[in-house]
Amino acid sequence: IARNLEETQIIQDISIQALAYLAELRDPEPGNHILRTQSYVHTLARKLQSHPRFASTLSDNFVLLLTKAAPLHDIGKVGIPGEILLKQNKLTTEEWEIMKTHAQLGADAIEWAEQNINRPIDFLLIAQEIAHWHHEKWDGSYPMG
């Protein structure tokens, strides 16, 4: 049982990394963007564990799931047309509006994948939230308002 559990965990981790890598292949961001983001998320979550406002939410397990889900933040970029995603010059207003949809596309993809399971899975819920809201600004100016 322990070996099967370990193998399942390895498969999950590799699958997450493979999906994130596919998104990164299409993205002109500098190399290792996904790993840097994952590291930042882990470091920030660990620091916030001791903050009274977040201590009850940021259990060790939640931080682990958050860290594992972080690489999926840009998975929706796979759905952005290459001529927009890879454009070297500044995007037009219309192109920028399309680019901003990558957060919703990522959340929708994870939600679609969840439709075949019988119960909520914490990892998928966190991954969907990260994909959906990872660019949202406190003032509501981007992307969902």
Side-chain angles (χ1 to χ4, degrees):
I1 291 173
R3 189 173 66 237
N4 286 343
L5 184 59
E6 179 185 6
E7 194 171 292
T8 300
Q9 190 61 57
I10 291 169
I11 291 167
Q12 179 190 25
D13 292 347
I14 289 171
S15 298
I16 294 163
Q17 293 300 321
L19 288 170
Y21 176 74
L22 285 173
E24 192 170 65
L25 280 177
R26 298 216 42 212
D27 189 350
E29 290 277 345
N32 293 323
H33 168 71
I34 289 171
L35 295 177
R36 282 193 322 274
T37 301
Q38 185 177 38
S39 178
Y40 295 153
V41 166
H42 180 77
T43 300
L44 288 168
R46 283 282 180 222
K47 282 287 197 186
L48 288 172
Q49 277 185 306
S50 61
H51 190 286
R53 181 174 174 194
F54 303 106
S56 64
T57 302
L58 292 174
S59 66
D60 287 342
N61 186 57
F62 189 89
V63 171
L64 175 67
L65 294 175
L66 190 65
T67 301
K68 285 186 176 211
L72 297 177
H73 71 278
D74 273 341
I75 194 71
K77 285 188 176 179
V78 173
I80 301 299
E83 63 270 12
I84 294 173
L85 186 64
L86 302 174
K87 186 174 179 180
Q88 296 296 313
N89 299 322
K90 186 176 179 181
L91 297 177
T92 66
T93 302
E94 295 80 20
E95 290 169 335
W96 184 240
E97 289 305 312
I98 292 169
M99 180 63 88
K100 291 193 306 187
T101 67
H102 84 275
Q104 185 66 54
L105 290 171
D108 290 347
I110 295 168
E111 183 179 15
W112 177 83
E114 286 179 295
Q115 291 176 4
N116 293 322
I117 56 176
N118 298 336
R119 62 182 178 84
I121 304 292
D122 290 339
F123 169 80
L124 294 174
L125 296 171
I126 293 168
Q128 185 178 9
E129 289 290 310
I130 289 171
H132 193 243
W133 302 111
H134 74 278
H135 279 296
E136 195 68 25
K137 293 187 177 183
W138 290 107
D139 67 1
S141 63
Y142 176 89
M144 303 298 291

